[in-house]
Amino acid sequence: MDMMTRIATLTAECLTSTWPEAQGLPTADEIRGLLAVPPDREMGDYAFPVFRLAKALRMAPPMIAKALCEAWNHPEVARVEPVNGYMNFFLNRVNFAKETLDAVLAQGERFGSSDMGSGKTVCLDYSSINIAKRFGVGHLSTTMIGHSLKRIHDFLGYKTVGINHLGDWGTQFGKMIYAYKTWGSKEEVEEKGITEMMRLYVKFHEEAEKDPSLEDEGRAWFKKIEDGDEEARSIWNWFKDITLKDAARVYDLLGVEFDSYAGESFYMDKMDVVIDELREKNLLTISQGASVVDLEEDKMPPCIILRSDGATLYHTRDLAAAVYRKNVYDFDKCLYVVAYQQDLHFRQLFKVLEKMGKPWAKDCVHVSFGMISFEGQAFSTRKGRVVYLEDVLNQAMQKALDIINEKSPNLANKEEVARQVGIGAVIYSDLSNGRIKDIDFSFERALNFDGETGPYVQYTHARCCSVLRKAGAPLAAAEVDLPEVDYNGLADDEAQHLLRLLSRFPDVVKEAADKYEPSMITRAVTDIAQGYNKFYYEHRVLDAEPGVAAARVALTKAVKDVIKTGLWLIGIEAPERM
Ligand code: ARG
């Protein structure tokens, strides 16, 4: 039985012996779930928050904690202390080291995983790029936050559905077809791809400023797409193919995949039912010819469902999509990883679902995030000054290769490592701050091997691998030979700090899922990497006395496993040599 389970069992016993009459006290299992590793050693190795007991015992939490600590008499815990509503347990250092390493090494790269999500489904709507636009840096955050949240939920046992809700519907496609037929050519689109589509789109707007009747032409072509006109459909599909082929290269580099590419157009035949339902429920009102759901009492502008010409909108499709997802996947949660500019859009959407009487409206969550600027420059699509993600990724890989050529010219498979490091650097900087913060990307910062960066964490992982290789310890196997380990070798401050970080990792993963915040994992792996490097400089690993060396090798293995897992959870690869 591991130490936390043991403490939970003892605590449960302590509870029933202190209050034999009390009803509704938590079981040992429930207590195990409530036990946490405090961020700070001052607060003990484990802490039990007693707030949950207040109701059953009709007592204030600090009193409960105090009574429990007084009643406690189990010598294997060095000391217990009541602090406010917490009962804090202090193990001795050697025990804590053994407990933690046993726990990590028993699970290896699965340490921190859980089955808490089993039987539950989470839909994640992320990346959701737009057709006929190139994949810009502006879509990096949604792609990586979404991808990471998907992995985190998978790791916690949820069933996940990754959805790329493509922006492939709307009058802009009519305009583009008009522009293509008027000023474009097949050859040019074939040759220049999206660049040409974007040129045509800009051209349309320039011309439409001079001649507003073009707007009607655009609408007419979109109507043709809607009505299934063969020519319109085939041009539209062709634009879509080209865009998706381009995007596939980017997704490949990032290692991102989707379970579904059902975009806006997928819902063209699924909107009518929803509109009927809105009508039956008397939610639609006519405002200036348009059909809207009035949201005045909710202090929001009306949600437009049908324009005066009968055309559907972004909202209409999102309504249909939400209903479809609930019907098909029966999700427990549906996450929309979309920039904060669409806050209002989602608040309206969820409110309309609520008004429709969908009890699951509360399970829809807008996971919003801040803006990304690039080397100090904001960018915009309208002016055409877009920084393309593929260019950034290619540059990052090239720069990583330059650094590797300089630092480790003899490394085998340099190109492959440069890919892992370059891409890792970009992803790390995207996921290193709380998602709601705006971020500025800079190559120099991202690729600094000494800063808080992807390459720094990857390098630490490679360093662990190298220590393990020298020790002759297997890299992959979950178990190091533990019998000859002398845990006294891990009683120093650096090792203890590191052990604490490792033992907190499962809590961090759960918290990251709870708050939809991959950056918590980025933070955790960075702290662990820093902790290991500090430990490594202060202590000999291999040429220490055998029992101590074995303990330090085991710690190195645990660090390596957790860093690798953490990096994986944020979508970054961990090369074994750099
Ligand atoms: N295509 C949209 C954009 O790039 C994002 C779509 C987000 N998902 C959704 N269900 N509305 O801005």
Side-chain angles (χ1 to χ4, degrees):
M1 190 193 297
D2 73 283
M3 197 61 180
M4 263 169 135
T5 309
R6 174 103 185 109
I7 289 182
T9 313
L10 294 175
T11 307
E13 281 171 15
C14 187
L15 264 173
T16 37
S17 63
T18 314
W19 293 285
E21 322 275 74
Q23 300 288 312
L25 293 175
T27 62
D29 246 16
E30 287 164 334
I31 294 175
R32 174 71 178 79
L34 292 168
L35 281 177
V37 179
D40 195 333
R41 174 95 220 277
E42 311 275 276
M43 300 188 285
D45 294 307
Y46 304 120
F48 172 45
V50 303
F51 306 92
R52 264 275 314 274
L53 311 175
K55 215 168 142 203
L57 295 173
R58 289 201 207 89
M59 256 171 102
M63 301 299 293
I64 302 174
K66 189 153 170 287
L68 278 175
C69 288
E70 275 161 14
W72 183 270
N73 65 346
H74 295 285
E76 54 196 296
V77 173
R79 131 180 103 85
V80 286
E81 252 178 28
V83 177
N84 299 324
Y86 289 88
M87 182 180 183
N88 294 342
F89 301 88
F90 294 80
L91 308 183
N92 69 45
R93 290 192 165 203
V94 174
N95 266 346
F96 183 62
K98 175 166 170 25
E99 283 310 319
T100 306
L101 282 191
D102 279 354
V104 179
L105 296 177
Q107 284 190 287
E109 290 169 14
R110 296 288 300 165
F111 179 67
S113 67
S114 153
D115 55 8
M116 64 185 275
S118 106
K120 296 198 181 122
T121 299
V122 177
C123 288
L124 300 101
D125 176 324
Y126 60 106
S127 199
S128 303
I129 51 168
N130 299 315
I131 296 307
K133 293 212 180 110
R134 268 190 86 186
F135 205 140
V137 182
H139 274 82
L140 175 63
S141 298
T142 165
T143 307
M144 292 321 303
I145 294 172
H147 178 61
S148 171
L149 289 178
K150 182 167 182 342
R151 284 195 171 171
I152 292 170
H153 282 91
D154 283 337
F155 197 59
L156 293 177
Y158 293 87
K159 179 178 182 305
T160 59
V161 188
I163 305 168
N164 196 334
H165 186 79
L166 298 174
D168 58 0
W169 204 240
T171 38
Q172 71 269 32
F173 297 100
K175 296 176 186 177
M176 223 167 279
I177 293 181
Y178 177 83
Y180 165 71
K181 293 194 56 85
T182 316
W183 305 291
S185 74
K186 187 161 198 259
E187 294 69 38
E188 232 150 346
V189 173
E190 254 157 20
E191 197 195 311
K192 300 192 195 126
I194 302 184
T195 316
E196 174 65 4
M197 293 178 212
M198 292 191 354
R199 182 190 75 83
L200 290 170
Y201 192 58
V202 171
K203 172 95 176 153
F204 182 92
H205 283 281
E206 283 165 5
E207 297 294 326
E209 249 170 54
K210 292 177 240 161
D211 176 4
S213 76
L214 292 192
E215 297 284 346
D216 294 334
E217 302 279 357
R219 264 193 285 276
W221 271 104
F222 180 58
K223 182 97 179 49
K224 287 197 186 183
I225 307 180
E226 278 188 304
D227 295 344
D229 172 86
E230 215 171 297
E231 184 187 13
R233 278 283 170 97
S234 93
I235 300 175
W236 170 73
N237 270 320
W238 178 45
F239 285 180
K240 212 166 138 168
D241 278 352
I242 296 176
T243 315
L244 287 179
K245 268 195 201 115
D246 254 39
R249 284 200 307 275
V250 176
Y251 289 136
D252 243 27
L253 285 173
L254 292 172
V256 170
E257 282 161 7
F258 300 90
D259 302 300
S260 158
Y261 278 86
E264 294 186 43
S265 67
F266 179 77
Y267 300 99
M268 60 183 142
D269 60 353
K270 299 173 181 61
M271 288 181 278
D272 281 349
V273 253
V274 180
I275 298 169
D276 288 345
E277 188 178 336
L278 284 167
R279 209 169 269 135
E280 275 158 30
K281 295 186 170 155
N282 279 323
L283 290 167
L284 285 188
T285 49
I286 304 295
S287 161
Q288 298 168 3
S291 304
V292 309
V293 178
D294 186 276
L295 296 175
E296 199 170 338
E297 61 175 36
D298 307 287
K299 301 192 174 52
M300 286 187 266
C303 179
I304 309 179
I305 304 295
L306 289 172
R307 273 202 320 233
S308 52
D309 62 1
T312 59
L313 289 99
Y314 183 45
H315 260 136
T316 329
R317 292 183 285 283
D318 255 331
L319 274 176
V323 170
Y324 175 86
R325 289 172 191 172
K326 184 63 193 178
N327 288 342
V328 173
Y329 304 115
D330 193 22
F331 59 73
D332 292 89
K333 258 197 182 142
C334 182
L335 309 184
Y336 296 81
V337 186
V338 187
Y340 72 84
Q341 282 91 337
Q342 297 192 29
D343 271 1
L344 177 62
H345 170 82
F346 287 106
R347 280 197 295 125
Q348 291 173 305
L349 174 66
F350 303 159
K351 186 50 88 177
V352 173
L353 289 170
E354 191 188 310
K355 286 189 186 291
M356 290 171 82
K358 309 288 181 201
W360 46 267
K362 61 168 186 358
D363 304 323
C364 297
V365 182
H366 176 203
V367 178
S368 70
F369 54 84
M371 294 250 290
I372 183 167
S373 58
F374 193 74
E375 307 277 7
Q377 286 229 321
F379 46 88
S380 82
T381 1
R382 221 169 304 124
K383 301 263 163 54
R385 195 188 52 211
V386 190
V387 181
Y388 299 127
L389 187 49
E390 191 175 11
D391 296 347
V392 172
L393 297 178
N394 284 331
Q395 271 190 66
M397 290 189 287
Q398 184 54 51
K399 285 179 199 277
L401 186 59
D402 294 344
I403 298 172
I404 292 170
N405 275 327
E406 194 189 303
K407 289 201 176 190
S408 356
N410 300 321
L411 184 70
N413 62 338
K414 278 192 271 192
E415 304 268 333
E416 169 68 0
V417 177
R419 182 187 63 77
Q420 297 172 315
V421 173
I423 303 289
V426 174
I427 297 176
Y428 183 102
S429 31
D430 192 49
L431 298 182
S432 59
N433 283 319
R435 57 186 159 77
I436 209 64
K437 280 205 185 137
D438 291 347
I439 45 177
D440 179 51
F441 178 83
S442 126
F443 279 117
E444 211 189 288
R445 256 180 284 134
L447 284 160
N448 180 351
F449 278 54
D450 300 318
E452 296 190 345
T453 63
Y456 171 80
V457 178
Q458 287 173 319
Y459 185 77
T460 310
H461 173 266
R463 161 173 276 167
C464 291
C465 291
S466 144
V467 169
L468 294 171
R469 272 193 302 269
K470 285 190 196 131
L475 286 190
E479 275 166 55
V480 185
D481 249 340
L482 290 177
E484 69 229 29
V485 168
D486 177 1
Y487 292 99
N488 285 299
L490 299 176
D492 60 88
D493 287 350
E494 292 76 26
Q496 289 283 311
H497 174 65
L498 199 42
L499 287 161
R500 162 165 305 274
L501 294 173
L502 294 177
S503 66
R504 272 186 60 75
F505 186 70
D507 286 352
V508 172
V509 178
K510 292 194 192 92
E511 213 179 322
D514 252 18
K515 304 206 159 114
Y516 314 113
E517 194 61 274
S519 67
M520 293 185 147
I521 292 181
T522 315
R523 186 69 258 159
V525 290
T526 308
D527 290 343
I528 292 170
Q530 287 171 340
Y532 186 77
N533 288 318
K534 181 128 200 297
F535 168 79
Y536 186 81
Y537 283 114
E538 302 277 342
H539 303 279
R540 296 153 181 276
V541 175
L542 298 176
D543 48 6
E545 197 219 310
V548 172
R552 293 182 178 157
V553 168
L555 178 61
T556 302
K557 172 73 170 69
V559 167
K560 177 206 149 286
D561 284 345
V562 174
I563 290 184
K564 181 161 183 197
T565 300
L567 287 176
W568 183 81
L569 289 172
I570 53 176
I572 298 180
E573 290 179 53
E576 290 182 357
R577 294 173 203 259
M578 273 174 74

